[in-house]
């Protein structure tokens, strides 16, 4: 289900969105500025429709024990992966 707040326009066989629903970010890889993998998005913290921060599950043997919180201001770009502005 996608709410009407996300709809930009309707096509013949498609619906064009004006933004990606935040739930789609869960599971995406998070990359440091140098291109190395920090981890994957585990949780999204938001205020209504705005992204506040991402909770990242770092890679590693005991990664399920801790989370890294990345503020929205530290995110450079979100595409197929999440790129960070500064290292964590």
């Amino acid at each position: 289900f996608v709410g009407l707040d996300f709809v930009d326009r309707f096509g013949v066989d498609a619906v064009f969105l004006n933004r990606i629903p935040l739930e789609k970010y869960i599971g995406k890889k998070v990359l440091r500025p140098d291109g190395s993998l920090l981890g994957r998005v585990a949780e999204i913290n938001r205020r209504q429709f705005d992204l506040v921060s991402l909770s990242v599950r770092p890679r590693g043997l005991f990664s399920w024990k801790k989370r890294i919180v990345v503020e929205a201001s530290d995110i450079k770009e979100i595409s197929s992966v999440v790129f960070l502005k500064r290292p964590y």
Side-chain angles (χ1 to χ4, degrees):
F1 172 77
V2 176
L4 288 176
D5 294 335
F6 291 97
V7 175
D8 183 33
R9 64 189 192 305
F10 293 96
V12 176
D13 293 331
V15 175
F16 296 94
L17 303 178
N18 58 12
R19 61 181 171 227
I20 298 172
L22 295 177
E23 291 80 18
K24 295 288 186 183
Y25 298 153
I26 294 176
K28 285 190 180 274
K29 292 181 181 178
V30 179
L31 300 180
R32 295 181 178 104
D34 64 357
S36 62
L37 179 66
L38 175 64
R40 290 187 178 264
V41 176
E43 220 175 277
I44 299 166
N45 303 317
R46 61 178 163 184
R47 187 175 302 115
Q48 293 206 348
F49 297 118
D50 297 329
L51 178 65
V52 175
S53 64
L54 296 175
S55 178
V56 178
R57 182 179 53 245
R59 62 178 232 181
L61 185 59
F62 297 104
S63 64
W64 54 272
K65 287 188 174 184
K66 63 179 181 174
R67 298 278 191 263
I68 299 170
V69 177
V70 177
E71 299 296 323
S73 60
D74 293 333
I75 297 172
K76 181 178 181 180
E77 178 185 344
I78 300 177
S79 56
S80 59
V81 296
V82 179
F83 294 102
L84 300 181
K85 288 181 186 175
R86 65 179 188 89
Y88 272 82

